[in-house]
Amino acid sequence: MRWTDRFGRAAVLALLVPLLLIAAARAPGRGADLDTLEIVSKTGVHAFTVELAVTEDQREHGLMFRRELPEGRGMLFKFEPDQVVSMWMHNTYIPLDMIFIRGDGRILRIAENTTPQSDRIISSGSPARSVLEVIGGTARKLGLAPGDHVAHPWFEQR
C-alpha cells in the first residue's frame, strides 16, 4: 500500500502547502518593501529603486543568492541606533558597491566592487545609519563620492 493511499492526498497537501509557502517567503529576491531614494552628487541627481532591509532577517540575508541586480536597483539596510556597521559578501554571487550613509544623509564611505562570496569584513569605519548596496561599478560610473547627499525619509533633512 502506498503512503498516499494510506494517508490521503488531502492530508499530504495539508502538510506540504505550509512548507512551500514558508520556502517561497524566504526565497531570494523577495520579501522586502520597495522604496525610492536619490543621491545628489557633483554629477547630478541619481534615483534608485531600493528594497528596504529593516528586520534582522532581512539584514542577515540581504542580497545573498541573487544572480543579478539591475542598474538603478539596490537594497537599503537600516541600523538603529547609528553604529559602526560590518558587512560581508558571504553567499552573494554578484559584485556590489556598498555605500555607507550617516544619519544626516551624507555618504560616509564607499566600498567599490566588493568580492563575491568573500567572508572578509567590510566596515563603515565610523557610525552609519544605513548601507546602500548597488551593482558593482555604479559608484564610479555615476561619480558618487563621500560627502554626497542621500535623500530618503530615513535621513535627517538639511
Side-chain angles (χ1 to χ4, degrees), residues 8-83:
R9 287 193 173 119
V12 172
L13 286 174
L15 291 172
L16 288 179
V17 168
L19 293 174
L20 292 172
L21 290 174
I22 290 169
R26 296 185 60 92
R30 182 177 149 66
D33 291 332
L34 291 179
D35 204 352
T36 58
L37 66 74
E38 293 179 339
I39 300 177
V40 181
S41 74
K42 292 178 183 171
T43 61
V45 177
H46 310 283
F48 293 87
T49 300
V50 294
E51 296 173 54
L52 302 178
V54 295
T55 69
E56 188 65 32
D57 187 59
Q58 290 168 334
R59 286 190 302 264
E60 268 183 31
H61 290 92
L63 293 172
M64 287 182 175
F65 307 108
R66 305 282 178 100
R67 297 286 180 185
E68 60 184 21
L69 181 64
E71 287 188 24
R73 296 291 303 259
M75 182 171 278
L76 185 63
F77 296 75
K78 184 176 188 180
F79 298 92
E80 287 185 311
D82 294 6
Q83 58 195 268

Side-chain angles (χ1 to χ4, degrees), residues 102-117:
R102 299 185 325 207
D104 66 359
R106 294 280 173 196
I107 294 177
L108 170 67
R109 175 178 184 269
I110 302 173
E112 293 186 46
N113 277 309
T114 55
T115 305
Q117 300 194 67

Side-chain angles (χ1 to χ4, degrees), residues 6 8 11 69 71 95 105 113 130 136 138 141:
R6 182 171 185 178
L69 181 64
E71 287 188 24
N113 277 309
S130 290
T138 299
K141 179 179 177 181

Side-chain angles (χ1 to χ4, degrees), residues 85-117:
V85 175
S86 296
M87 307 289 280
W88 67 351
M89 293 289 289
H90 186 80
N91 289 328
T92 305
Y93 302 141
I94 53 177
L96 300 172
D97 287 351
M98 293 184 185
I99 302 169
F100 295 90
I101 308 164
R102 299 185 325 207
D104 66 359
R106 294 280 173 196
I107 294 177
L108 170 67
R109 175 178 184 269
I110 302 173
E112 293 186 46
N113 277 309
T114 55
T115 305
Q117 300 194 67

